[in-house]
Amino acid sequence: MLDMKLIRNDFEKAAELLKKRGVDKEEIARLKEIDERRRKLIQKSEKLKSKRNEVSKEIAEKKRNNESADDVIQSMQEVSKEIKQIDKELEKAEKETWDISTGLPNFPHESVPVGETEEDNEEVSRWGDALISRPGDEPKPHWDLGEDLGILDFARGAKVAQSRFLYYLGAGARLERALYNFMLDVQTKEHGYTEVITPYIVNDESMFATGQFPKFKEDVYELENENLTLIPTAEVPLTNFYRDEILNEADLPKYFTAMSPSFRSEAGSAGRDTRGLIRLHQFHKVELVKFAKPEESYDELEKMTRDAETILEKLELPYRRVVLSTGDMGFAAAKTYDIEVWMPAQNTYREISSCSNTEDFQARRGMIRFRREENNRIEYAHTLNGSGLAVGRAFAAILENYQQADGSIKIPDVLVPYMDGMEYITAEK
């Protein structure tokens, strides 16, 4: 949620920042107008309630003195009636303010390129370009490789659930497990994250805090007649760990990581990536979440992005880093780096991780705060999140980048110990 003080005190700056996110100035002006009306109503209501308290004392005094209080009682009734009307108007103004403010995206950081689509994203760096030609001239897509080897079964996944669900079988299931165990080991042993096993179902308050609700309800799976939703990412339960709490400054930064299933309806993605592991309704992901002091959060974003990139380098998978434009960033993000892995069969890079600094946007929604040591002042923490990595997409990238001429898949060296010494995946008998 945005800081209303900036909208009140520097409207032009706020409007300019939100214009970069595609928000019309008229909408911000309407929010400012309603907020001003709301604050005036609060002041008027408080004055009348103070007057009513004074009148109540006057009535009590008259009764103690056996004096008639009829005129004063009549006056108080008029005041009470006016208060009731003002409070009704105030409730409406507060709802309008809430509806607009909770639907506004985060302000973009000054370093974010301005644009409308992913075409306006800017490449920052590449790694492993020399590896791109490894699979040969006509690499097979991962879905064909997986089915030919008998380690992926999309047809039975669709039969048992629906399209975009699948079974991992044999060495395929083993490779998926090897990947997320490897990722967790690197993030905990080398990068200092605390491993967490989170709830996989969260309440509406948690979904609101991270920015999924109320704007993006169509993207998730809600439990009917329950205040509960299947998590779209472990970012939600991890970030909400400190919801409605005040940390000590010395506790920051905090690093959490979790492997979890992620459930997404993929609303609006009809016809996109209908084959393979890129866009599923259920997939595993190793999530990274940080809580940081405001002055340190952008250094922490760079570290988090490197933490994710390290996984790809250890797997020897070519990738590039891009900074997302204002039009392609997520709702809660102030700045996002996407890490895109090379997919030979598609002859392109595909997103495998997004690392974002949301600054205090989520913290305001979730009341995640910390206390400064020098002055005891309470401030909002900055929250960051990223994938370290999307496991299914890493699986797909390994199949495509490590495919051999005979149709087998070479296991990346760092994963061989996690596969009990298996060096190649060959067709299941």
Side-chain angles (χ1 to χ4, degrees):
M1 188 175 295
L2 299 176
D3 184 357
M4 279 298 299
K5 288 181 182 178
L6 180 59
I7 294 174
R8 291 182 195 129
N9 301 332
D10 197 343
F11 173 77
E12 292 301 328
K13 180 180 179 181
E16 183 60 31
L17 288 171
L18 287 173
K19 181 181 178 182
K20 296 177 181 179
R21 298 297 308 265
V23 179
D24 290 337
K25 186 175 182 179
E26 289 75 15
E27 188 171 1
I28 315 303
R30 182 165 164 259
L31 174 61
K32 183 172 182 288
E33 178 187 347
I34 295 170
D35 179 62
E36 289 173 352
R37 174 158 51 88
R38 181 187 66 84
R39 296 173 76 199
K40 287 178 181 177
L41 287 169
I42 290 172
Q43 293 173 356
K44 192 172 182 180
S45 178
E46 288 175 349
K47 284 181 181 179
L48 287 171
K49 286 173 182 176
S50 177
K51 181 179 178 181
R52 184 174 61 184
N53 291 338
E54 292 174 3
V55 173
S56 295
K57 291 177 183 178
E58 186 178 350
I59 291 170
E61 181 69 22
K62 283 181 176 291
K63 287 184 176 181
R64 278 197 299 270
N65 296 332
N66 294 319
E67 299 175 11
S68 174
D70 292 348
D71 57 335
V72 184
I73 291 172
Q74 177 65 31
S75 174
M76 188 176 73
Q77 289 174 342
E78 292 297 324
V79 171
S80 295
K81 185 177 178 181
E82 191 173 356
I83 290 172
K84 186 176 181 180
Q85 180 60 36
I86 289 172
D87 285 351
K88 186 177 180 180
E89 293 178 26
L90 179 58
E91 183 180 355
K92 181 182 177 183
E94 286 178 338
K95 184 181 184 304
E96 289 176 342
T97 302
W98 179 262
D99 289 345
I100 296 174
S101 62
T102 57
L104 294 175
N106 201 356
F107 294 128
H109 188 261
E110 59 185 9
S111 64
V112 173
V114 178
E116 297 181 1
T117 69
E118 63 183 18
E119 300 300 322
D120 300 302
N121 299 342
E122 294 181 1
E123 184 175 306
V124 176
S125 60
R126 291 191 182 196
W127 184 90
D129 284 356
L131 302 175
I132 286 176
S133 62
R134 179 169 53 198
D137 294 333
E138 295 184 6
K140 286 185 177 181
H142 65 272
W143 52 86
D144 284 345
L145 289 163
E147 290 183 328
D148 291 346
L149 291 168
I151 60 175
L152 298 177
D153 194 326
F154 294 96
R156 288 189 173 95
K159 177 184 71 174
V160 171
Q162 65 178 57
S163 62
R164 303 196 186 193
F165 288 88
L166 80 153
Y167 285 94
Y168 289 83
L169 302 168
R174 187 61 179 272
L175 178 58
E176 177 90 352
R177 178 156 54 95
L179 273 166
Y180 60 67
N181 283 333
F182 163 68
M183 292 175 187
L184 288 170
D185 282 350
V186 172
Q187 302 303 353
T188 56
K189 296 177 181 179
E190 298 183 21
H191 300 154
Y193 290 82
T194 298
E195 183 176 353
V196 182
I197 296 176
T198 74
Y200 299 155
I201 299 175
V202 295
N203 56 33
D204 290 358
E205 292 80 7
S206 298
M207 292 292 283
F208 172 80
T210 45
Q212 280 82 12
F213 282 5
K215 195 174 179 69
F216 301 101
K217 282 198 170 191
E218 73 278 3
D219 294 333
V220 300
Y221 289 109
E222 293 185 84
L223 277 63
E224 189 174 6
N225 300 320
E226 298 278 357
N227 172 27
L228 294 170
T229 298
L230 294 174
I231 61 171
T233 163
E235 171 200 343
V236 180
L238 287 176
T239 303
N240 277 276
F241 188 81
Y242 289 121
R243 176 160 55 87
D244 298 322
E245 295 186 31
I246 300 175
L247 300 167
N248 293 318
E249 182 178 3
D251 293 332
L252 299 176
K254 284 277 190 182
Y255 294 6
F256 288 154
T257 186
M259 191 289 294
S260 77
S262 298
F263 303 92
R264 300 185 184 178
S265 69
E266 292 294 344
S269 67
R272 296 178 60 195
D273 301 314
T274 55
R275 303 189 68 184
L277 302 172
I278 299 301
R279 199 174 299 277
L280 298 172
H281 292 308
Q282 175 190 314
F283 57 93
H284 289 123
K285 185 151 71 78
V286 172
E287 188 72 10
L288 309 175
V289 162
K290 292 185 177 186
F291 302 86
K293 292 184 286 187
E295 65 270 23
E296 296 175 352
S297 68
Y298 278 95
D299 287 339
E300 293 296 342
L301 176 62
E302 296 298 325
K303 291 178 185 177
M304 174 182 280
T305 308
R306 281 298 301 143
D307 293 341
E309 290 173 339
T310 298
I311 300 294
L312 290 171
E313 291 174 13
K314 289 178 179 290
L315 292 171
E316 296 187 80
L317 291 171
Y319 71 87
R320 68 173 186 170
R321 183 199 294 200
V322 299
V323 58
L324 299 193
S325 70
T326 53
D328 198 32
M329 277 198 309
F331 176 75
K335 182 173 183 177
T336 298
Y337 289 118
D338 265 11
I339 303 168
E340 300 177 346
V341 68
W342 178 251
M343 301 295 286
Q346 299 167 60
N347 195 37
T348 191
Y349 290 95
R350 299 302 301 266
E351 177 203 335
I352 195 167
S353 173
S354 284
C355 297
S356 299
N357 186 355
T358 74
E359 297 186 357
D360 63 5
F361 188 84
Q362 292 178 330
R364 287 180 181 277
R365 296 168 79 98
M367 295 300 287
I368 303 167
R369 295 154 292 169
F370 72 99
R371 190 187 306 276
R372 291 284 186 184
E373 291 179 350
E374 63 178 5
N375 55 18
N376 280 331
R377 189 177 67 188
I378 294 174
E379 298 180 24
Y380 290 104
H382 280 196
T383 62
L384 302 91
N385 63 81
S387 303
L389 304 162
V391 183
R393 293 189 178 195
F395 185 107
I398 287 172
L399 263 57
E400 293 200 9
N401 283 277
Y402 279 89
Q403 59 184 289
Q404 306 297 302
D406 62 0
S408 65
I409 306 297
K410 184 181 184 302
I411 303 296
D413 291 344
V414 292
L415 294 183
V416 171
Y418 292 86
M419 299 287 289
D420 281 343
M422 182 187 294
E423 296 183 350
Y424 289 88
I425 296 177
T426 56
E428 294 283 309
K429 302 299 184 184

